[in-house]
Amino acid sequence: MGQPSSAFLNLSEIAVEALNVGLDAIRPGRTCSEVDADFRKALARHGIEKESRIGYPTGIGFPPASGERTASIRKGDETVLQPGMVFHMMPGPWLDNVGITITQSLRFPRPVMSL
């Protein structure tokens, strides 16, 4: 396996930075598209573009597939994020000779229940 290349190490730092920007951008009331835009701005600062979605919904018994008709963290998805939603984020920037995917699953805080 050996030592990772400098290109790989650099890309891994960029992927983590962009993932953290995306995670910080997720909050109830924002849209999937707004989160995606923040993530893409973080990549663009490094001259990187990503065309595919960066997150998909998940949950008990939910098998994500390319043809699903649910919310995705991607350009143009105006789904408003709500407490209790669960997503798997996967930034996955790929360049000509190196790529990396660092992922994170998350659940928005559930609303506090009162009696």
Side-chain angles (χ1 to χ4, degrees), residues 6-115:
S6 60
F8 181 81
L9 292 174
N10 184 50
L11 189 59
S12 67
E13 290 176 8
I14 293 168
V16 169
E17 175 189 328
L19 177 61
N20 284 328
V21 166
L23 292 171
D24 289 344
I26 291 179
R27 55 190 170 277
R30 295 199 77 205
T31 66
C32 290
S33 187
E34 290 171 328
V35 173
D36 178 79
D38 289 350
F39 172 86
R40 289 178 195 287
K41 286 177 191 171
L43 284 183
R45 286 193 293 269
H46 301 281
I48 298 174
E49 294 181 22
K50 178 176 169 64
E51 294 301 318
S52 59
R53 67 183 175 176
I54 63 161
Y56 58 85
T58 188
I60 295 173
F62 183 82
S66 61
E68 70 205 26
R69 301 286 186 236
T70 60
S72 284
I73 301 175
R74 66 174 149 211
K75 182 178 181 179
D77 190 327
E78 297 304 317
T79 302
V80 176
L81 301 173
Q82 303 292 323
M85 287 180 152
V86 178
F87 282 89
H88 182 230
M89 288 186 67
M90 69 291 174
W94 297 92
L95 305 178
D96 291 336
N97 60 351
V98 65
I100 188 167
T101 299
I102 299 172
T103 70
Q104 178 67 51
S105 295
L106 62 112
R107 180 184 62 86
F108 301 159
R110 295 178 63 94
V112 176
M113 302 293 285
S114 61
L115 299 173

